[in-house]
Amino acid sequence: MNREAWLAKASDKLCKQFIFEDLDVHVSVGWPSRGGLSTKKRVIGQCWKPETSKDGKSHIFISPMLEDAEMVLATLLHELIHAWDRCESGHKGSFIELAKKSGLERPWTATTPGEELSLKLKAMIEELGPYPHVRLEPTMVEKKVQTTRQLKVVCPSTECGCVVRMTRTWIDKGLPTC
Protein backbone atom coordinates (compact mmCIF):
# COMPACT_ATOMS: atom_id res chain seq x y z
CA MET A 1 0.00 0.00 0.00
CA ASN A 2 1.38 3.43 -0.89
CA ARG A 3 1.07 6.47 1.36
CA GLU A 4 -1.91 7.99 -0.50
CA ALA A 5 -3.88 4.74 -0.14
CA TRP A 6 -2.90 4.66 3.55
CA LEU A 7 -4.06 8.27 3.97
CA ALA A 8 -7.35 7.54 2.16
CA LYS A 9 -8.07 4.59 4.48
CA ALA A 10 -7.08 6.69 7.49
CA SER A 11 -9.35 9.49 6.30
CA ASP A 12 -12.32 7.12 6.08
CA LYS A 13 -11.65 5.72 9.56
CA LEU A 14 -11.21 9.16 11.11
CA CYS A 15 -14.43 10.42 9.51
CA LYS A 16 -16.43 7.45 10.79
CA GLN A 17 -15.01 7.69 14.31
CA PHE A 18 -14.87 11.45 14.87
CA ILE A 19 -16.84 13.35 12.25
CA PHE A 20 -19.72 10.86 11.91
CA GLU A 21 -20.20 11.41 8.20
CA ASP A 22 -18.34 10.59 5.03
CA LEU A 23 -16.39 13.48 3.59
CA ASP A 24 -15.51 13.36 -0.08
CA VAL A 25 -11.96 14.73 0.06
CA HIS A 26 -8.67 14.16 -1.69
CA VAL A 27 -5.80 13.43 0.68
CA SER A 28 -2.19 13.51 -0.38
CA VAL A 29 1.32 14.31 0.73
CA GLY A 30 2.52 17.72 -0.38
CA TRP A 31 4.03 21.00 0.66
CA PRO A 32 1.68 23.62 2.09
CA SER A 33 1.32 26.80 0.04
CA ARG A 34 3.33 28.67 2.67
CA GLY A 35 5.15 27.90 5.90
CA GLY A 36 6.07 24.32 5.03
CA LEU A 37 9.78 24.98 5.36
CA SER A 38 9.60 27.52 8.16
CA THR A 39 11.94 26.90 11.07
CA LYS A 40 9.75 28.74 13.60
CA LYS A 41 6.10 27.94 12.81
CA ARG A 42 6.16 25.09 10.32
CA VAL A 43 2.84 24.26 8.64
CA ILE A 44 2.38 20.46 8.66
CA GLY A 45 -1.03 20.17 7.04
CA GLN A 46 -3.34 22.19 4.85
CA CYS A 47 -6.93 21.93 3.68
CA TRP A 48 -8.03 23.68 0.52
CA LYS A 49 -11.65 24.80 0.18
CA PRO A 50 -13.85 22.83 -2.23
CA GLU A 51 -14.33 26.01 -4.29
CA THR A 52 -10.63 25.98 -5.21
CA SER A 53 -10.93 22.67 -7.04
CA LYS A 54 -12.68 21.95 -10.33
CA ASP A 55 -14.13 18.76 -8.84
CA GLY A 56 -15.68 20.69 -5.92
CA LYS A 57 -13.91 18.60 -3.27
CA SER A 58 -11.66 19.71 -0.45
CA HIS A 59 -8.02 18.80 -0.92
CA ILE A 60 -5.89 17.98 2.11
CA PHE A 61 -2.11 17.93 2.06
CA ILE A 62 0.07 16.40 4.76
CA SER A 63 3.64 17.66 4.94
CA PRO A 64 6.27 15.26 3.59
CA MET A 65 8.32 16.16 6.67
CA LEU A 66 5.95 14.12 8.87
CA GLU A 67 6.76 10.44 9.28
CA ASP A 68 5.35 9.60 12.71
CA ALA A 69 2.04 7.81 12.04
CA GLU A 70 0.31 9.20 15.13
CA MET A 71 1.22 12.77 14.21
CA VAL A 72 0.11 12.16 10.63
CA LEU A 73 -3.30 10.91 11.86
CA ALA A 74 -3.68 13.82 14.28
CA THR A 75 -2.81 16.28 11.50
CA LEU A 76 -5.18 14.54 9.11
CA LEU A 77 -7.97 14.74 11.70
CA HIS A 78 -7.30 18.46 12.17
CA GLU A 79 -7.50 19.03 8.41
CA LEU A 80 -10.62 16.83 8.06
CA ILE A 81 -12.34 19.08 10.59
CA HIS A 82 -11.50 22.03 8.33
CA ALA A 83 -12.94 20.09 5.37
CA TRP A 84 -16.10 19.25 7.34
CA ASP A 85 -16.45 22.97 8.12
CA ARG A 86 -15.71 23.82 4.45
CA CYS A 87 -12.86 25.98 5.80
CA GLU A 88 -15.44 28.53 7.00
CA SER A 89 -14.51 28.96 10.68
CA GLY A 90 -10.72 28.93 10.55
CA HIS A 91 -9.66 27.90 14.05
CA LYS A 92 -12.77 29.29 15.76
CA GLY A 93 -16.45 28.45 16.29
CA SER A 94 -17.60 25.12 14.91
CA PHE A 95 -13.99 24.06 14.23
CA ILE A 96 -13.21 24.31 17.97
CA GLU A 97 -16.39 22.46 18.94
CA LEU A 98 -15.58 19.43 16.77
CA ALA A 99 -11.86 19.58 17.59
CA LYS A 100 -12.70 19.38 21.32
CA LYS A 101 -15.17 16.51 20.77
CA SER A 102 -12.51 14.69 18.74
CA GLY A 103 -9.89 15.00 21.46
CA LEU A 104 -7.63 17.65 20.02
CA GLU A 105 -6.33 20.22 22.48
CA ARG A 106 -5.37 23.86 22.19
CA PRO A 107 -3.73 25.74 20.70
CA TRP A 108 -6.21 25.22 17.87
CA THR A 109 -3.75 26.36 15.20
CA ALA A 110 -1.52 23.42 16.15
CA THR A 111 -2.22 19.70 16.13
CA THR A 112 -2.12 18.50 19.71
CA PRO A 113 -3.87 15.20 20.45
CA GLY A 114 -5.09 14.69 24.01
CA GLU A 115 -4.28 11.53 25.94
CA GLU A 116 -7.52 9.73 25.01
CA LEU A 117 -7.26 10.69 21.34
CA SER A 118 -3.65 9.52 21.31
CA LEU A 119 -4.74 6.04 22.46
CA LYS A 120 -7.43 5.90 19.76
CA LEU A 121 -4.93 6.94 17.08
CA LYS A 122 -2.46 4.27 18.21
CA ALA A 123 -5.23 1.65 17.94
CA MET A 124 -6.01 2.93 14.44
CA ILE A 125 -2.34 2.57 13.47
CA GLU A 126 -2.51 -1.08 14.59
CA GLU A 127 -5.29 -1.59 12.01
CA LEU A 128 -3.71 0.48 9.24
CA GLY A 129 -0.15 -0.68 9.67
CA PRO A 130 2.91 1.57 9.54
CA TYR A 131 2.75 4.81 7.59
CA PRO A 132 4.51 4.00 4.30
CA HIS A 133 6.51 7.19 3.98
CA VAL A 134 10.02 8.39 4.68
CA ARG A 135 10.58 11.94 5.86
CA LEU A 136 11.83 14.51 3.39
CA GLU A 137 14.27 16.93 4.96
CA PRO A 138 14.83 19.81 2.52
CA THR A 139 16.73 21.80 5.14
CA MET A 140 19.49 19.22 4.74
CA VAL A 141 20.05 20.38 1.16
CA GLU A 142 23.10 22.60 1.07
CA LYS A 143 22.14 26.19 0.38
CA LYS A 144 24.26 28.07 -2.11
CA VAL A 145 25.98 31.07 -0.65
CA GLN A 146 25.12 34.14 -2.66
CA THR A 147 28.24 35.78 -3.97
CA THR A 148 28.26 39.53 -3.86
CA ARG A 149 27.15 41.35 -6.96
CA GLN A 150 29.23 44.32 -5.92
CA LEU A 151 32.54 44.90 -7.65
CA LYS A 152 35.47 46.55 -5.94
CA VAL A 153 36.42 49.93 -7.45
CA VAL A 154 39.65 51.66 -6.34
CA CYS A 155 40.49 55.28 -7.13
CA PRO A 156 43.62 55.37 -9.32
CA SER A 157 44.87 58.50 -7.59
CA THR A 158 47.79 57.74 -5.27
CA GLU A 159 46.73 60.42 -2.77
CA CYS A 160 43.10 59.26 -2.48
CA GLY A 161 43.07 55.45 -2.52
CA CYS A 162 39.30 55.47 -1.95
CA VAL A 163 37.72 52.02 -2.22
CA VAL A 164 34.02 51.59 -3.05
CA ARG A 165 31.83 48.74 -4.26
CA MET A 166 29.48 49.15 -7.18
CA THR A 167 27.27 47.04 -9.39
CA ARG A 168 28.23 46.35 -13.00
CA THR A 169 25.30 48.54 -14.14
CA TRP A 170 26.77 51.65 -12.50
CA ILE A 171 30.32 50.86 -13.60
CA ASP A 172 29.09 50.60 -17.22
CA LYS A 173 27.64 54.11 -16.88
CA GLY A 174 31.05 55.47 -15.87
CA LEU A 175 33.43 55.30 -12.94
CA PRO A 176 33.31 57.98 -10.28
CA THR A 177 36.12 60.48 -10.18
CA CYS A 178 37.64 62.05 -7.10
Side-chain angles (χ1 to χ4, degrees), residues 147-155 161-172 174-176:
T147 58
T148 181
R149 294 187 188 122
Q150 302 283 314
L151 301 172
K152 184 177 179 180
V153 179
V154 181
C155 178
C162 179
V163 177
V164 294
R165 296 202 175 267
M166 300 176 67
T167 62
R168 170 64 56 198
T169 305
W170 285 104
I171 292 173
D172 290 344
L175 294 171

CSV table of all heavy atoms in Angstrom, one decimal, residues 147-155 161-172 174-176:
chain,number,residue,atom,x,y,z
A,147,THR,N,27.0,35.0,-3.8
A,147,THR,CA,28.2,35.8,-4.0
A,147,THR,C,27.8,37.2,-4.2
A,147,THR,O,26.7,37.5,-4.7
A,147,THR,CB,29.1,35.3,-5.2
A,147,THR,OG1,28.3,35.4,-6.3
A,147,THR,CG2,29.6,33.9,-4.9
A,148,THR,N,28.6,38.1,-3.7
A,148,THR,CA,28.3,39.5,-3.9
A,148,THR,C,28.2,39.9,-5.3
A,148,THR,O,28.9,39.5,-6.2
A,148,THR,CB,29.3,40.4,-3.1
A,148,THR,OG1,28.8,41.8,-3.2
A,148,THR,CG2,30.7,40.3,-3.6
A,149,ARG,N,27.3,40.8,-5.6
A,149,ARG,CA,27.1,41.4,-7.0
A,149,ARG,C,27.9,42.7,-7.1
A,149,ARG,O,28.0,43.3,-8.1
A,149,ARG,CB,25.7,41.6,-7.3
A,149,ARG,CG,24.9,40.3,-7.4
A,149,ARG,CD,23.5,40.5,-7.8
A,149,ARG,NE,22.7,39.3,-7.7
A,149,ARG,CZ,21.6,39.2,-7.0
A,149,ARG,NH1,21.1,40.2,-6.4
A,149,ARG,NH2,21.0,38.0,-6.9
A,150,GLN,N,28.5,43.1,-6.0
A,150,GLN,CA,29.2,44.3,-5.9
A,150,GLN,C,30.7,44.1,-6.4
A,150,GLN,O,31.3,43.1,-6.0
A,150,GLN,CB,29.2,44.9,-4.5
A,150,GLN,CG,27.8,45.1,-3.9
A,150,GLN,CD,27.2,46.4,-4.5
A,150,GLN,OE1,27.9,47.4,-4.5
A,150,GLN,NE2,26.0,46.3,-4.9
A,151,LEU,N,31.2,45.0,-7.2
A,151,LEU,CA,32.5,44.9,-7.7
A,151,LEU,C,33.4,46.0,-6.9
A,151,LEU,O,32.9,47.1,-6.7
A,151,LEU,CB,32.6,45.1,-9.2
A,151,LEU,CG,31.8,44.1,-10.0
A,151,LEU,CD1,31.7,44.5,-11.5
A,151,LEU,CD2,32.4,42.7,-9.8
A,152,LYS,N,34.6,45.6,-6.6
A,152,LYS,CA,35.5,46.6,-5.9
A,152,LYS,C,36.0,47.6,-6.9
A,152,LYS,O,36.6,47.2,-8.0
A,152,LYS,CB,36.6,45.8,-5.3
A,152,LYS,CG,37.5,46.6,-4.4
A,152,LYS,CD,38.6,45.6,-3.8
A,152,LYS,CE,39.5,46.4,-2.9
A,152,LYS,NZ,40.5,45.5,-2.3
A,153,VAL,N,35.9,48.9,-6.6
A,153,VAL,CA,36.4,49.9,-7.5
A,153,VAL,C,37.4,50.7,-6.6
A,153,VAL,O,37.0,51.2,-5.5
A,153,VAL,CB,35.3,50.8,-8.0
A,153,VAL,CG1,35.8,52.0,-8.8
A,153,VAL,CG2,34.2,50.0,-8.7
A,154,VAL,N,38.6,50.9,-7.1
A,154,VAL,CA,39.7,51.7,-6.3
A,154,VAL,C,40.0,52.9,-7.2
A,154,VAL,O,40.3,52.8,-8.4
A,154,VAL,CB,40.9,50.8,-6.1
A,154,VAL,CG1,42.0,51.5,-5.3
A,154,VAL,CG2,40.5,49.5,-5.4
A,155,CYS,N,40.1,54.0,-6.5
A,155,CYS,CA,40.5,55.3,-7.1
A,155,CYS,C,42.0,55.2,-7.6
A,155,CYS,O,42.8,54.8,-6.8
A,155,CYS,CB,40.3,56.5,-6.2
A,155,CYS,SG,40.8,58.0,-6.9
A,161,GLY,N,43.2,56.9,-2.9
A,161,GLY,CA,43.1,55.5,-2.5
A,161,GLY,C,41.7,55.0,-2.1
A,161,GLY,O,41.5,54.0,-1.4
A,162,CYS,N,40.7,55.8,-2.4
A,162,CYS,CA,39.3,55.5,-2.0
A,162,CYS,C,38.9,54.1,-2.6
A,162,CYS,O,39.1,53.9,-3.7
A,162,CYS,CB,38.4,56.6,-2.4
A,162,CYS,SG,36.7,56.3,-1.9
A,163,VAL,N,38.2,53.3,-1.8
A,163,VAL,CA,37.7,52.0,-2.2
A,163,VAL,C,36.2,52.0,-2.0
A,163,VAL,O,35.7,52.3,-1.0
A,163,VAL,CB,38.3,50.9,-1.4
A,163,VAL,CG1,37.7,49.5,-1.9
A,163,VAL,CG2,39.8,50.8,-1.6
A,164,VAL,N,35.5,51.7,-3.1
A,164,VAL,CA,34.0,51.6,-3.1
A,164,VAL,C,33.6,50.3,-3.8
A,164,VAL,O,34.4,49.7,-4.5
A,164,VAL,CB,33.3,52.8,-3.7
A,164,VAL,CG1,33.5,54.1,-2.9
A,164,VAL,CG2,33.7,53.0,-5.1
A,165,ARG,N,32.4,49.9,-3.5
A,165,ARG,CA,31.8,48.7,-4.3
A,165,ARG,C,30.6,49.2,-5.1
A,165,ARG,O,29.8,50.0,-4.6
A,165,ARG,CB,31.4,47.6,-3.3
A,165,ARG,CG,32.7,47.1,-2.6
A,165,ARG,CD,32.4,45.7,-2.0
A,165,ARG,NE,33.6,45.2,-1.4
A,165,ARG,CZ,34.5,44.4,-2.0
A,165,ARG,NH1,34.3,44.1,-3.3
A,165,ARG,NH2,35.6,43.9,-1.4
A,166,MET,N,30.5,48.7,-6.3
A,166,MET,CA,29.5,49.1,-7.2
A,166,MET,C,29.0,48.0,-8.0
A,166,MET,O,29.7,47.0,-8.2
A,166,MET,CB,30.0,50.2,-8.2
A,166,MET,CG,30.5,51.5,-7.5
A,166,MET,SD,31.2,52.6,-8.7
A,166,MET,CE,29.8,53.1,-9.6
A,167,THR,N,27.8,48.1,-8.5
A,167,THR,CA,27.3,47.0,-9.4
A,167,THR,C,27.8,47.3,-10.8
A,167,THR,O,28.2,48.4,-11.1
A,167,THR,CB,25.7,47.0,-9.4
A,167,THR,OG1,25.3,48.3,-9.9
A,167,THR,CG2,25.1,46.8,-8.0
A,168,ARG,N,27.8,46.3,-11.6
A,168,ARG,CA,28.2,46.3,-13.0
A,168,ARG,C,27.4,47.4,-13.8
A,168,ARG,O,28.0,48.2,-14.6
A,168,ARG,CB,28.1,45.0,-13.7
A,168,ARG,CG,28.3,44.9,-15.2
A,168,ARG,CD,29.7,45.3,-15.6
A,168,ARG,NE,30.7,44.5,-15.1
A,168,ARG,CZ,32.0,44.8,-15.0
A,168,ARG,NH1,32.4,46.0,-15.6
A,168,ARG,NH2,32.9,44.0,-14.5
A,169,THR,N,26.1,47.5,-13.5
A,169,THR,CA,25.3,48.5,-14.1
A,169,THR,C,25.9,49.9,-14.0
A,169,THR,O,26.0,50.7,-14.9
A,169,THR,CB,23.9,48.5,-13.6
A,169,THR,OG1,23.4,47.2,-13.7
A,169,THR,CG2,22.9,49.4,-14.3
A,170,TRP,N,26.2,50.3,-12.8
A,170,TRP,CA,26.8,51.6,-12.5
A,170,TRP,C,28.2,51.8,-13.1
A,170,TRP,O,28.5,52.9,-13.6
A,170,TRP,CB,26.8,52.0,-11.0
A,170,TRP,CG,25.4,52.2,-10.5
A,170,TRP,CD1,24.6,51.4,-9.8
A,170,TRP,CD2,24.7,53.4,-10.8
A,170,TRP,NE1,23.4,52.0,-9.6
A,170,TRP,CE2,23.4,53.3,-10.1
A,170,TRP,CE3,24.9,54.6,-11.4
A,170,TRP,CZ2,22.4,54.3,-10.2
A,170,TRP,CZ3,23.9,55.6,-11.5
A,170,TRP,CH2,22.7,55.4,-10.8
A,171,ILE,N,29.0,50.8,-13.0
A,171,ILE,CA,30.3,50.9,-13.6
A,171,ILE,C,30.2,51.1,-15.1
A,171,ILE,O,31.0,51.9,-15.7
A,171,ILE,CB,31.1,49.6,-13.3
A,171,ILE,CG1,31.4,49.5,-11.8
A,171,ILE,CG2,32.4,49.5,-14.1
A,171,ILE,CD1,32.1,48.2,-11.3
A,172,ASP,N,29.3,50.4,-15.8
A,172,ASP,CA,29.1,50.6,-17.2
A,172,ASP,C,28.7,52.0,-17.6
A,172,ASP,O,28.9,52.5,-18.7
A,172,ASP,CB,28.1,49.6,-17.8
A,172,ASP,CG,28.6,48.2,-17.7
A,172,ASP,OD1,29.8,48.0,-17.6
A,172,ASP,OD2,27.8,47.2,-17.9
A,174,GLY,N,29.9,54.6,-16.1
A,174,GLY,CA,31.0,55.5,-15.9
A,174,GLY,C,31.5,55.4,-14.4
A,174,GLY,O,30.7,55.4,-13.5
A,175,LEU,N,32.8,55.4,-14.3
A,175,LEU,CA,33.4,55.3,-12.9
A,175,LEU,C,33.4,56.7,-12.3
A,175,LEU,O,33.5,57.7,-13.0
A,175,LEU,CB,34.9,54.8,-13.0
A,175,LEU,CG,35.0,53.3,-13.5
A,175,LEU,CD1,36.5,53.0,-13.7
A,175,LEU,CD2,34.4,52.4,-12.4
A,176,PRO,N,33.3,56.7,-11.0
A,176,PRO,CA,33.3,58.0,-10.3
A,176,PRO,C,34.7,58.6,-10.3
A,176,PRO,O,35.7,57.8,-10.4
A,176,PRO,CB,32.9,57.6,-8.9
A,176,PRO,CG,33.2,56.2,-8.7
A,176,PRO,CD,33.1,55.6,-10.1
